[in-house]
């Protein structure tokens, strides 16, 4: 290469490019430039040089067919790699499918165990239990676009899931509140669902009863529902107050009395003064005085606030503001 003048090298390259462009090759003996280049390449022992695994000898092999730019070793290696990659992809996809199938099977079993025995309930159950958060669940539930009575299944499933958790989870309360604010029909449905639960208190498991206490307490303290939800509890009727029922509502009022004074005031005030809540108010006062206060004086202060709030009217100012 040292003996090759720059001008001659450029002329050779331009001539070669021109021939390639015109798709032709001159039938003549090698030029001086060509001869010099060949000698230079031989000095560099290019036959042993690999370009990305490709030998010059195989690149220039006129008998090479197919992917002429790949050496035999590379083709073999690439083929093996492709096969290995394909196999790995298949195994990966298979594992994913098997995993998803296993998860789906577990979800079906869990849904069946929680009484989700219809397609609608199962769909709602899957959304609620697999959502990223309550907003994600809320939006996906709306997209179900359930019609007629099917829409009522949403709140039934939400409450049932909340009551069957091993540890009480406020996620279901927040989701229920979001649904109630969005559509009053959900609020009515939740009220009837709670009333249905009240009819089963005497035979209800303790954990489920405790979760129901906390759930309803969250609903009234968040102002999603009022204490009017206790209407079907018949707290003033001693003939309907069995041991477990008494214990249940005792826990309920004790839970509410843990709240701050102003929250207790506003919770009880919401059913204060109105004639339509007269029986509910009398039942609450009777039950608290007999079963919650009794000989225990720790809740007297909160009950005084609650009792005053029950007798208040809408115009009365909040004394804790």
């Amino acid at each position: 290469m040292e003996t090759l003048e720059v001008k001659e090298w450029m002329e050779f390259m331009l001539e070669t490019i021109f021939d390639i462009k015109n798709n032709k090759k001159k039938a003549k003996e090698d030029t001086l430039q060509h001869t010099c280049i060949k000698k230079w390449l031989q000095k560099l022992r290019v036959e042993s040089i690999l370009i990305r695994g490709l030998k010059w000898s195989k690149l220039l092999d006129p008998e090479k067919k197919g992917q002429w730019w790949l050496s035999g070793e590379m083709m073999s290696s690439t083929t093996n790699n492709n096969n290995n990659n394909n196999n790995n992809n298949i195994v990966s996809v298979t594992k994913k499918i098997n995993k998803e199938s296993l998860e789906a099977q577990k979800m079906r079993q869990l849904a069946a165990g929680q009484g989700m025995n219809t397609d609608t309930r199962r769909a709602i159950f899957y959304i609620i239990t697999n959502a990223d958060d309550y907003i994600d669940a809320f939006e996906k539930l709306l997209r179900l676009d359930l019609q007629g009575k099917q829409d009522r299944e949403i709140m039934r499933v939400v409450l049932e899931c909340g009551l069957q958790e091993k540890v009480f989870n406020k996620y279901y309360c927040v989701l229920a509140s979001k649904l109630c604010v969005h559509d009053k029909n959900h609020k009515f449905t939740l009220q009837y669902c709670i009333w249905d639960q009240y009819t089963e208190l005497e035979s209800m498991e303790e954990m489920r009863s405790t979760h129901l206490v906390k759930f309803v307490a969250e609903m009234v303290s968040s102002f999603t529902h009022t204490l009017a939800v206790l209407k079907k509890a018949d707290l003033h009727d001693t003939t309907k107050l069995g041991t477990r029922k008494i214990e249940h509502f005792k826990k309920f009022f004790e839970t509410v009395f843990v709240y701050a004074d102003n929250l207790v005031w506003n919770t009880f005030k919401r059913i204060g003064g109105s004639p339509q809540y007269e029986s509910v108010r009398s039942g609450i006062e009777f039950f608290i005085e007999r079963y919650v206060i009794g000989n225990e004086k720790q809740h007297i202060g909160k009950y005084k606030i609650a009792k005053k709030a029950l007798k208040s009217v809408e115009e009365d100012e909040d004394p804790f503001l």
Side-chain angles (χ1 to χ4, degrees):
M1 187 67 177
E2 293 84 356
T3 61
L4 186 63
E5 297 295 330
V6 174
K7 183 179 178 181
E8 293 176 342
W9 171 259
M10 292 179 64
E11 288 177 354
F12 170 76
M13 293 300 298
L14 289 172
E15 184 181 354
T16 303
I17 294 172
F18 185 82
D19 289 341
I20 293 174
K21 178 184 177 184
N22 291 280
N23 193 26
K24 67 178 181 178
K25 182 178 180 181
K26 294 181 180 179
K28 63 181 179 178
E29 295 182 357
D30 292 341
T31 62
L32 175 62
Q33 297 94 329
H34 196 177
T35 302
C36 292
I37 291 173
K38 286 176 68 175
K39 289 181 179 180
W40 172 67
L41 293 174
Q42 287 172 355
K43 287 181 181 180
L44 296 176
R45 302 176 63 186
V46 295
E47 290 191 1
S48 62
I49 296 176
L50 295 179
I51 301 179
R52 295 184 182 179
L54 173 60
K55 290 183 178 180
W56 279 96
S57 60
K58 293 189 176 182
L59 177 62
L60 300 174
D61 184 2
E63 302 299 326
K64 192 71 176 177
K65 296 181 180 180
Q67 295 179 330
W68 59 270
W69 60 90
L70 295 178
S71 68
E73 290 85 350
M74 180 176 284
M75 289 184 67
S76 176
S77 174
T78 304
T79 302
N80 290 334
N81 288 336
N82 287 338
N83 289 336
N84 290 334
N85 290 335
N86 289 338
N87 290 335
N88 290 336
N89 289 337
I90 292 172
V91 171
S92 177
V93 172
T94 301
K95 287 182 178 179
K96 184 177 181 180
I97 292 173
N98 289 338
K99 182 179 180 181
E100 291 178 349
S101 297
L102 182 60
E103 290 298 323
Q105 184 178 359
K106 288 181 179 179
M107 288 299 295
R108 283 194 295 270
Q109 292 174 349
L110 184 60
Q114 295 201 12
M116 309 304 159
N117 50 11
T118 66
D119 290 339
T120 301
R121 288 194 175 190
R122 279 191 289 269
I124 297 169
F125 176 78
Y126 293 155
I127 290 174
I128 293 172
T129 55
N130 287 286
D132 296 332
D133 51 33
Y134 80 96
I135 294 294
D136 183 43
F138 171 74
E139 292 175 349
K140 288 178 179 177
L141 287 172
L142 293 186
R143 286 199 293 270
L144 280 178
D145 194 25
L146 300 177
Q147 303 297 322
K149 295 182 179 180
Q150 286 184 325
D151 192 56
R152 302 175 187 175
E153 298 290 357
I154 292 177
M155 200 56 74
R156 292 192 181 101
V157 174
V158 171
L159 179 58
E160 189 61 32
C161 287
L163 298 185
Q164 292 203 37
E165 288 280 4
K166 292 182 179 180
V167 178
F168 181 70
N169 191 341
K170 288 181 66 173
Y171 161 72
Y172 301 103
C173 302
V174 178
L175 176 57
S177 294
K178 181 70 174 177
L179 289 165
C180 289
V181 171
H182 173 74
D183 189 339
K184 65 179 182 180
N185 288 327
H186 289 306
K187 183 175 181 178
F188 292 140
T189 300
L190 178 58
Q191 177 174 284
Y192 284 107
C193 288
I194 292 173
W195 288 351
D196 289 340
Q197 296 300 320
Y198 284 165
T199 63
E200 303 174 4
L201 286 176
E202 289 300 326
S203 59
M204 187 177 292
E205 295 180 357
E206 184 178 356
M207 184 182 71
R208 185 182 178 89
S209 175
T210 300
H211 287 356
L212 181 60
V213 164
K214 295 178 180 179
F215 187 95
V216 178
E218 287 289 335
M219 289 298 100
V220 298
S221 64
S222 65
F223 306 145
T224 301
H225 268 286
T226 70
L227 287 171
V229 74
L230 302 179
K231 180 179 179 180
K232 295 295 182 180
D234 296 323
L235 297 177
H236 58 281
D237 191 346
T238 55
T239 63
K240 296 181 179 179
L241 292 175
T243 303
R244 290 190 177 182
K245 192 172 184 179
I246 291 173
E247 186 63 25
H248 176 88
F249 288 107
K250 184 173 182 292
K251 286 181 181 179
F252 171 78
F253 287 112
E254 288 174 346
T255 300
V256 173
F257 286 158
V258 172
Y259 299 144
D261 290 354
N262 64 325
L263 185 53
V264 172
W265 168 269
N266 288 316
T267 298
F268 284 85
K269 181 185 176 182
R270 295 183 73 213
I271 62 169
S274 177
Q276 63 176 320
Y277 298 133
E278 180 60 37
S279 62
V280 179
R281 290 196 298 270
S282 62
I284 289 174
E285 290 183 26
F286 168 78
F287 187 91
I288 293 176
E289 290 175 1
R290 181 165 181 172
Y291 299 105
V292 180
I293 303 301
N295 297 323
E296 300 179 12
K297 306 302 180 183
Q298 61 177 321
H299 298 300
I300 288 182
K302 291 294 178 70
Y303 176 55
K304 287 181 178 179
I305 295 173
K307 191 172 184 178
K308 185 176 180 180
L310 288 174
K311 297 182 182 303
S312 68
V313 293
E314 190 66 27
E315 290 75 17
D316 290 346
E317 294 184 0
D318 185 346
F320 301 98
L321 290 178

